[in-house]
Amino acid sequence: MTLIELAAEQKSAEVTDWAARLGWVAGLLLFVALVYWLMRQGWKWRGSLQSGLPDLPTAPGAPGAPRLTMSGRYHGSTTAGQWLDRIVAHGLGTRSRAELTLTDAGLDVVRPGARDFFVPAGQLRGARLDKGIAGKVLAEGGLLVVTWEHGGTLIDSGFRSDTAADHTAWVEALTSMNHTSTTEGTAR
């Protein structure tokens, strides 16, 4: 047998079984779609569980002169004291850019691409620096957490300024504002 005859007899092994490969790819895509759908259903379920939360207030027409302003990110809201119990009702679970304005009337949170909300001064309960809120963990003191009351529920909302040095001034202003409203409430 000559070399040419041997070469003609040999047949290349089949490299790819396309039917099996396409089956695996289709199965993987279906699995990813199922996981995504389950996550979305969980988000909707959480929102329906929190449906008792009333609509968020909007800013008054003339809120007054700004005491402080901040540009940064809104990282979400949780039940106060439970940093992993995310609140998703009324768009509070949607992360976004945020512009905060603190006036004597309260805290105005403007979120491009998400629902804005306003926290009246009488509902502000305090502020602190923390390291995390549901879905976001930063260095110690890297997150401004504002505690407020809405519909009988205490809520923690997490913000991060573009300039982290701003956080301390916000904590001081919100704490003094809460102290003033609490003192005025007991004096009546």
Side-chain angles (χ1 to χ4, degrees), residues 144-155:
L144 170 67
V145 178
V146 177
T147 303
W148 52 290
E149 184 177 351
H150 182 61
T153 303
L154 283 178
I155 298 173

Side-chain angles (χ1 to χ4, degrees), residues 105-159:
L107 177 65
D108 187 21
V109 181
V110 177
R111 302 185 304 155
R115 189 171 176 189
D116 302 341
F117 62 95
F118 180 76
V119 181
Q123 293 177 339
L124 288 169
R125 298 294 180 252
R128 68 182 185 280
L129 296 180
D130 212 331
K131 64 179 177 181
I133 199 157
K136 187 67 175 180
V137 178
L138 300 163
E140 189 67 45
L143 192 68
L144 170 67
V145 178
V146 177
T147 303
W148 52 290
E149 184 177 351
H150 182 61
T153 303
L154 283 178
I155 298 173
D156 283 343
S157 293
F159 302 94

